[in-house]
Amino acid sequence: MASTSANKPPDYNPDNYTWSAYKKEVLVWATWTKLEDTKKGPALWSSLTGKAKEAVQDMELDEIKAADGLEKILTKLDDVFKTDINQAAYIAYRDFETFSRPSEMSLQDFIVKFEALNLKISKLDMKLPDGVLAYRFIQSANLKEEQMQLCRATVKEFKYKEMQQKVLSLFG
């Protein structure tokens, strides 16, 4: 959720952002804001609320307004919000494995969501074999058993892209 002002960093709300996504938003903001480096830290510090504000409350003003103040604040916030890489991998895979298309979701929207979840686990060095992706795709698509059987029976190879195309051609 980008800020409307180039001088105002994005607000951190854990309901809207994971910590890593928010940190990326801040780093992107820092590259295009016209604020001097010595003002980026105070701008970020001033925008924080709740647990994030508590985490940086004890920082000295000289530290906050230093040319690397923004980085110092982010480092301090990392200590509080950064998820352990194993925990992040577990959560990403759990979300991928348990995702099931809600009945009101279109197949096109499902594919976008499925691909996003797969990309997330891939970035955490969990690249699944093509056949496993095809299986997970057909299971997560939330089709009726007869529809799943038809897809499995009519694909030439049990491959992810082929299964995706078959599901779209038959039911999309």
Side-chain angles (χ1 to χ4, degrees):
M1 316 242 163
S3 169
T4 55
S5 166
N7 292 334
K8 184 180 180 306
D11 294 325
Y12 180 53
N13 180 343
D15 296 333
N16 298 336
Y17 288 109
T18 62
W19 168 247
S20 60
Y22 172 72
K23 185 175 178 181
K24 185 176 183 179
E25 285 281 335
V26 169
L27 293 172
V28 169
W29 164 81
T31 64
W32 57 259
T33 184
K34 297 199 184 310
L35 288 176
E36 301 166 22
D37 287 345
T38 57
K39 300 204 182 208
K40 290 176 185 175
L44 178 60
W45 192 91
S46 297
S47 74
L48 297 174
T49 59
K51 191 175 178 182
K53 184 64 139 202
E54 289 174 26
V56 298
Q57 197 66 44
D58 65 340
M59 290 182 72
E60 296 294 327
L61 180 59
D62 287 342
E63 221 178 348
I64 296 167
K65 68 179 187 174
D68 64 347
L70 178 76
E71 290 80 15
K72 288 179 179 179
I73 292 169
L74 290 174
T75 299
K76 193 135 176 119
L77 291 171
D78 269 344
D79 293 341
V80 176
F81 294 107
K82 187 175 183 181
T83 306
D84 169 311
I85 193 69
N86 293 328
Q87 180 71 0
Y90 171 83
I91 290 167
Y93 189 76
R94 180 202 60 203
D95 292 349
F96 175 79
E97 186 68 29
T98 60
F99 175 63
S100 181
R101 179 178 69 99
S103 56
E104 69 276 358
M105 180 183 270
S106 73
L107 282 172
Q108 289 80 6
D109 289 344
F110 162 70
I111 290 170
V112 170
K113 176 74 174 176
F114 185 86
E115 298 246 343
L117 291 169
N118 184 40
L119 180 62
K120 193 179 261 188
I121 66 170
S122 294
K123 286 183 176 180
L124 293 164
D125 290 331
M126 289 188 282
K127 296 192 189 306
L128 299 176
D130 205 39
V132 173
L133 277 176
Y135 170 82
R136 188 71 257 150
F137 178 82
I138 194 76
Q139 290 298 123
S140 297
N142 197 17
L143 301 172
K144 294 179 182 152
E145 185 58 37
E146 309 82 52
Q147 294 172 317
M148 288 173 44
Q149 286 175 353
L150 179 61
C151 289
R152 290 192 311 261
T154 57
V155 291
K156 292 178 183 159
E157 290 185 88
F158 198 70
K159 302 272 186 187
Y160 169 57
K161 284 298 181 187
E162 193 167 329
M163 185 63 71
Q164 184 186 73
Q165 290 170 350
K166 184 58 71 175
V167 168
L168 275 176
S169 70
L170 292 173
F171 311 111

